[in-house]
Amino acid sequence: MNVLVTGGAGYVGSHAARCLERAGHEIWIYDNLSEGNRGAVRQQRLIVGDLMDRPKLVSVLRDHRVESVMHFAASAYVGVSVERPADYYQNNVVGTLSLMEAMRETGVNRMVFSSTCATYGIPEIVPITENEKQQPINPYGFTKLVIERALSDYAAAYGWSYAALRYFNASGAAAEGDLGEDHDPETHLIPIVLQTALGQREAVLVFGDDYPTPDGTCIRDYIHVEDLAAAHISALNRLGPGVQFQLNLGTGAGFTVRQVIDACERVSGRKIPCRIAPRRAGDPPALVANAERARRELGWHPKYTTIESIVETAWRWHQSHPQGYAD
Ligand code: UDP
C-alpha cells in the first residue's frame, strides 16, 4: 500500500515508518522537522513540509497515489500544552484538519491516528478500557480528543475508515540501536533518567511524591516503541469500508516514577541522583491500559513485557548516541 507517514521523522513515527517498509509498503514521510530528526529517516523518503501547507499536502497525496495516512505529526508534551495551549490547538487540531481536508480533496479516506491515554483524564477505573469516559485534564489530551471526534464524524458523513490508537507511554528504542528517543528539550522520564545516569544531568526531578499511589509517585504504563509500531501495521491492515476502531496500546502493567528510576539503576548499574519536586501541571496520578481489545482485534501482543527489557533498549541507544541523532 502507498502510505503517507506524517511526523515520520519523530520518535514513534520513525519506528513505524521502518516497520511499514519492512512489511513491504511504499512510504513517504511528511515532516516539518520541528521535532523530527533527519537522521531518523531514509532521506529519499523524506518530504519536508508542514501540516498547514494544504496545497503541498494535496500534491504529495496525489503525486504519490497515497492510499492511507498514518498521522503522527503533533506536539506531544503534556506540561508544555498547559503553558502554551495555543501552539497545541494550532498544530494538533488546525494542522490535522488541514491534513484531513487535503485527504478529502484527493479522495484518501483511511487514517491511522496517534491518539493518547491523555484523552481519558483522571480515569474512574484503572486499568482503563476504551469505554472509559474521555475527560482530558490537559490541552494536549483535548486536542487529540477533538480529532478522534472529527474522525468519527468524517467516518459517518464521508465514509472514512480510521483507527485511533491511544498510546500509553511510548518508550525504549529500536533493537538495532540506531533509532531512539531524541527530543529537544527532553521532557520524558526514561530518557531524562538515563541522561542522568550518563552524567549529562545532575539529578532527576521527581514531579510529586504525594499522589495516591503506593510510593506517592505517578504510575504509568510504559509500552515499547517497536510494539507500538507493530500495532500500527496491524491496524492499517484492518482498515477498509465501514471499519472504525479505537484501541488502547499499553502493556497493562503500571510502574511508579520511583520504580522506573530503580529499573534504570539496575540496567545501567549506576546510582542515579533524584530530587523531589512539585507536581507537574496536567499529570493524572495513574494511567494503565486494559489492552484486551487490541489483543483481541489485532492479535497484538507486546514483545517487551518488563520495564527492564524496555529500559535496556533505551540504555543502549543513549550510551551509543549521547547527543541523540547528532551522534
Ligand atoms: N516525570 C518526572 N520527572 C521528569 C519527567 C517526568 O517525575 O523529569 C514523571 C511525570 O510527572 C509522569 C511520568 O514521569 O508522572 C511520565 O512522564 P512523561 O513526561 O515521560 O510522560 P507522560 O506521562 O507525561 O506522557
Side-chain angles (χ1 to χ4, degrees), residues 74-85 87-89 92-93 96 113-122 133-150 164-167 280-284 287:
S75 305
Y77 296 131
V78 167
V80 181
S81 80
V82 177
E83 287 154 24
R84 300 208 313 262
D87 294 353
Y88 277 67
Y89 282 93
N92 296 2
V93 178
T96 300
F113 173 59
S114 296
S115 189
T116 169
C117 62
T119 58
Y120 294 115
I122 300 179
K133 277 200 212 100
Q134 289 178 291
Q135 297 173 317
I137 60 163
N138 53 59
Y140 168 60
F142 264 108
T143 62
K144 291 288 182 173
L145 182 56
V146 169
I147 298 303
E148 280 202 19
R149 184 58 198 250
L165 303 182
R166 297 178 187 152
Y167 315 160
R280 185 174 69 178
D283 272 345
L287 294 171

Side-chain angles (χ1 to χ4, degrees), residues 120 125-130 168 221 247-253 288-296:
Y120 294 115
I125 300 171
V126 180
I128 305 167
T129 69
E130 289 82 356
F168 283 64
D221 180 338
L247 296 176
N248 287 340
L249 298 178
T251 63
V288 179
N290 174 327
E292 279 313 307
R293 192 189 279 181
R295 280 172 227 274
R296 212 172 47 240

Side-chain angles (χ1 to χ4, degrees), residues 84-239:
R84 300 208 313 262
D87 294 353
Y88 277 67
Y89 282 93
Q90 278 299 325
N91 196 27
N92 296 2
V93 178
V94 182
T96 300
L97 292 176
S98 156
L99 167 67
M100 288 167 70
E101 284 308 282
M103 289 171 66
R104 244 162 41 90
E105 204 173 321
T106 51
V108 181
N109 61 6
R110 295 179 191 204
M111 184 190 276
V112 179
F113 173 59
S114 296
S115 189
T116 169
C117 62
T119 58
Y120 294 115
I122 300 179
E124 276 167 19
I125 300 171
V126 180
I128 305 167
T129 69
E130 289 82 356
N131 299 327
E132 180 71 34
K133 277 200 212 100
Q134 289 178 291
Q135 297 173 317
I137 60 163
N138 53 59
Y140 168 60
F142 264 108
T143 62
K144 291 288 182 173
L145 182 56
V146 169
I147 298 303
E148 280 202 19
R149 184 58 198 250
L151 283 168
S152 154
D153 292 339
Y154 276 45
Y158 311 131
W160 281 34
S161 176
Y162 75 94
L165 303 182
R166 297 178 187 152
Y167 315 160
F168 283 64
N169 286 58
S171 46
E176 293 89 342
D178 58 340
L179 294 180
E181 202 162 359
D182 178 5
H183 298 115
D184 184 20
E186 189 54 75
T187 65
H188 292 117
L189 181 64
I190 293 178
I192 284 179
V193 176
L194 296 177
Q195 287 169 356
T196 312
L198 285 171
Q200 295 176 337
R201 295 171 186 263
E202 251 176 50
V204 178
L205 297 181
V206 175
F207 298 141
D209 68 347
D210 56 352
Y211 285 98
T213 63
D215 65 22
T217 65
C218 286
I219 294 176
R220 294 288 182 274
D221 180 338
Y222 295 86
I223 175 76
H224 196 276
V225 66
E226 290 190 325
D227 284 324
L228 283 182
H232 282 74
I233 314 299
S234 305
L236 178 73
N237 292 337
R238 284 275 321 275
L239 296 187

